[in-house]
Amino acid sequence: MTGRRPCPVAPGLLEGYAARFDDLFGRLAQRRGFREYLAGLLAPRDRNKTLTALAGAEPVSGAQHRSVQRLQFFLSESRWDPDRVNARRLELLLADPATAPHGGGVLVIDDSGDRKDGTRTAHVGHQWLGRYGKTDNGVVTVTTVWADERLYYPVHAVPYTPAKHFAKGKSDPGFRTKLAIGADLAVRARDAGFTFRAVAADSAYGDQDGFRAELADAGLPFVMALKPRRGTWAYGPDAHTPVDAARELAWGGPEDPGDWHPVTRTFRDGHAETWYAADATLGAWGPEGPRRLVAATADPGTLPGKATWYLVTNLPRPGGPRETGSPHPAAGLAEIVRIYGIRHWIEQSYKQVKDELGWADFQVRSDIAIRRHQTLVNCAFSFCWDAWFADPPPPQDPAPPRPAPSRGERGAARRLTPGTVLAAGTARDPRLAHPRDRAATLVAGMVKSAPAATTPGPDDLARGRPRPAPLHPELTNHR
């Protein structure tokens, strides 16, 4: 049998990472395309990462260049399975002690909407695009991300297909809502070997009774946000919304917190904030029921809108009657706040790094090409961590700025200032920065914007589970 022809080597540490996928590509052109595509995604972002940008060609006049056409064929026509490539990426994450998931992590479900013109692109439709805070023409992808206080990475991604693409609309057997996709991805993550303390999601998912029930039926714990004014039936004088339930809790100030308990949130930049959390009662939800309502806020007296969370969870209260029979370890108020705090962090940071890697810059129309592009972006994302842990760079000053607060729960995310996460130093090639430099700088920004781990308490980690080894202070910027 004729041996495989050698593939042109990718720059730096990228070659070692790409070589682990070689058996999934049957042809030399595919192995070369995989390397070239990742290298283009990891290059400094001086313009949108379209195929011409990935190949280093001129934006319009270079569209017919051989290198551009080669990437176009690799993405749209070549025969390779993006699901197998993603499965291999997850296997590598699971096998590496530095990135392997543990029971203290969180699985975050979210959806990412990106503007796209026209009507012929797969999955495109006039729909809500959370990052822009409005309804517009675009493509929405439901994603799961595994995260803890040290790192985070994508697990699965599935584009949502609006009902107009189906012959029978929402009645078509092939149509699936974003909620159904999200619940399925959570189960797939667990079945793939990803352990986590709970599933976390914002109020777009947490407000849906059916979605929470689907997770509970699958045996998955969850901590999800609720809208403050989400209505619930109750007798006249009783609380009807989460904010009503929180206002009924006793509060006499920091010296007399009443029903509220102080919770310290510590961040990577060194500052700490004291929040207050409490179990509230809303209809059938309560501290001892199958669903707990937890309010967490910076000021129980005023419940400021941008500094107050209303959370629903199926994790039992420590010492409560449900603790013994629950399949999930009990979680105190500090643990509930920690879990949702991780989701709140990556809401901004994760999307910004995806943007830098060109998540929304694809210019292809078919479903398979879109899925392949997203899989390759996730591979580039995971390579950043692979390169970081293989040879972490010294800390750089000044540190990248922390993400600014968003406009509300699912409002528009503010992009990073150009240049804040670009590779430092002179590129070794006029059109391609070295992927090793690019990966190190990207991950430095991700790590420095992470929330710091608080001092573990009895409800921070499940009993009997070994604590993950902390990163060196030079990597976490945490003393």
Side-chain angles (χ1 to χ4, degrees):
M1 180 181 292
T2 304
R4 281 194 166 192
R5 296 169 57 190
C7 182
V9 178
L13 295 180
L14 181 58
E15 173 59 29
Y17 183 78
R20 304 175 206 174
F21 296 81
D22 279 351
D23 62 304
L24 304 179
F25 301 105
R27 304 179 65 87
L28 170 62
Q30 294 173 340
R31 299 193 295 276
R32 179 176 59 192
F34 182 69
R35 287 162 169 78
E36 290 178 348
Y37 209 97
L38 293 189
L41 294 174
L42 290 160
R45 184 187 179 91
D46 53 358
R47 59 188 169 103
N48 286 350
K49 292 188 176 179
T50 59
L51 290 174
T52 54
L54 299 185
E58 291 296 324
V60 178
S61 60
Q64 300 304 316
H65 191 276
R66 180 176 60 183
S67 60
V68 179
Q69 291 298 304
R70 190 164 60 217
L71 289 181
Q72 174 72 46
F73 184 85
F74 170 71
L75 195 63
S76 301
E77 305 295 336
S78 184
R79 295 184 178 180
W80 58 277
D81 188 349
D83 290 335
R84 293 184 63 198
V85 172
N86 192 63
R88 176 62 53 82
R89 179 182 68 87
L90 299 182
E91 290 172 6
L92 297 175
L93 291 168
L94 287 164
D96 188 342
T99 57
H102 55 82
V106 175
L107 187 74
V108 180
I109 299 177
D110 197 11
D111 54 72
S112 175
D114 305 294
R115 287 195 186 104
K116 289 295 173 184
D117 294 328
T119 59
R120 296 186 179 182
T121 301
H123 313 295
V124 75
H126 197 68
Q127 53 194 321
W128 176 260
L129 306 181
R131 70 165 61 196
Y132 304 107
K134 66 177 184 178
T135 299
D136 205 343
N137 211 55
V139 174
V140 173
T141 301
V142 182
T143 61
T144 49
V145 178
W146 189 93
D148 65 6
E149 289 86 354
R150 304 183 311 144
L151 79 164
Y152 56 94
Y153 47 76
V155 181
H156 295 105
V158 173
Y160 162 72
T161 306
K164 72 169 189 175
H165 290 268
F166 296 92
K168 297 181 179 180
K170 293 183 179 181
S171 300
D172 196 282
F175 173 74
R176 291 200 302 166
T177 65
K178 287 178 279 189
L179 300 173
I181 295 173
D184 178 64
L185 293 186
V187 174
R188 286 174 57 186
R190 180 193 60 187
D191 294 346
F194 285 81
T195 56
F196 43 85
R197 186 68 168 95
V199 175
D202 64 13
S203 59
Y205 292 83
D207 269 347
Q208 307 301 319
D209 296 336
F211 179 71
R212 297 193 310 271
E214 194 168 351
L215 292 182
D217 291 343
L220 295 174
F222 57 79
V223 176
M224 300 184 186
L226 298 169
K227 292 178 181 177
R229 301 293 178 180
R230 180 187 185 276
T232 299
W233 184 90
Y235 290 106
D238 296 337
H240 289 74
T241 66
V243 67
D244 291 341
R247 285 173 177 163
E248 289 186 352
L249 298 170
W251 169 253
E255 302 301 325
D256 180 21
D259 295 326
W260 297 86
H261 301 267
V263 177
T264 301
R265 299 185 61 205
T266 308
F267 298 84
R268 290 288 182 200
D269 63 2
H271 88 281
E273 297 179 6
T274 298
W275 277 38
Y276 293 87
D279 277 294
T281 299
L282 179 63
W285 295 355
E288 315 304 344
R291 301 289 183 270
R292 292 169 60 195
L293 173 64
V294 174
T297 181
D299 183 2
T302 61
L303 300 175
K306 293 187 176 181
T308 301
W309 301 337
Y310 303 95
L311 309 174
V312 58
T313 180
N314 61 347
L315 294 172
R317 182 180 64 85
R322 293 182 53 242
E323 181 176 13
T324 303
S326 174
H328 314 301
L333 296 172
E335 175 72 343
I336 299 298
V337 172
R338 180 191 76 87
I339 291 171
Y340 193 73
I342 292 176
R343 191 221 70 85
H344 208 63
W345 156 48
I346 72 164
E347 172 75 15
Q348 292 290 318
S349 190
Y350 171 58
K351 289 183 179 180
Q352 288 170 339
V353 175
K354 283 200 311 180
D355 286 347
E356 289 297 317
L357 292 173
W359 175 267
D361 295 343
F362 61 86
Q363 291 183 329
V364 290
R365 294 185 182 275
S366 68
D367 167 71
I368 187 64
I370 293 173
R371 291 175 185 265
R372 285 175 172 178
H373 171 78
Q374 293 176 345
T375 297
L376 293 169
V377 170
N378 287 342
C379 286
F381 193 104
S382 297
F383 165 70
C384 290
W385 287 116
D386 187 79
W388 174 273
F389 288 115
D391 183 20
Q396 298 183 12
D397 291 320
R402 297 175 62 223
S406 63
R407 289 196 329 233
E409 176 80 55
R410 294 171 62 81
R414 199 162 77 186
R415 298 173 67 91
L416 289 176
T417 303
T420 57
V421 293
L422 297 184
T426 303
R428 293 165 173 79
D429 183 279
R431 66 177 178 84
L432 177 65
H434 198 277
R436 173 64 187 87
D437 299 337
R438 175 63 174 157
T441 312
L442 273 175
V443 180
M446 291 193 285
V447 170
K448 289 180 181 179
S449 64
T454 57
T455 303
D459 54 8
D460 286 338
L461 298 171
R463 289 190 180 97
R465 183 182 67 78
R467 302 175 188 274
L471 295 180
H472 191 277
E474 290 185 353
L475 304 187
T476 63
N477 194 34
H478 177 60
R479 301 295 190 269

